[in-house]
Amino acid sequence: MAEYFSKVGLTNAEISELLVYGDENQADAADTAANFLKTKEDLWTTWVSPEVAEKVKASLS
């Protein structure tokens, strides 16, 4: 997982934040990913087209 996130531009601190969230909340990968998408919209929306970003945001509601 860390290898994938390093390719999309996450820092070590951001990866650590994801891992801590998962550990502290006993969250599985899907829940951790959903939290990331909800709380880091300013970051991940730069990785995808505006159309894809809107679809992802709509699916999180």
Side-chain angles (χ1 to χ4, degrees):
M1 179 156 79
E3 181 181 334
Y4 169 77
F5 284 124
S6 69
K7 289 180 182 177
V8 295
L10 289 180
T11 65
N12 286 339
E14 290 165 329
I15 294 168
S16 293
E17 186 179 338
L18 286 170
L19 296 173
V20 167
Y21 173 86
D23 186 53
E24 288 180 349
N25 294 283
Q26 298 180 348
D28 62 15
D31 290 337
T32 301
N35 179 69
F36 172 79
L37 293 171
K38 290 176 184 176
T39 62
K40 301 293 185 180
E41 185 177 310
D42 59 321
L43 181 62
W44 67 263
T45 54
T46 65
W47 303 338
V48 298
S49 69
E51 295 81 12
V52 169
E54 287 305 315
K55 288 180 182 179
V56 171
K57 288 187 273 185
S59 75
L60 295 171
S61 301

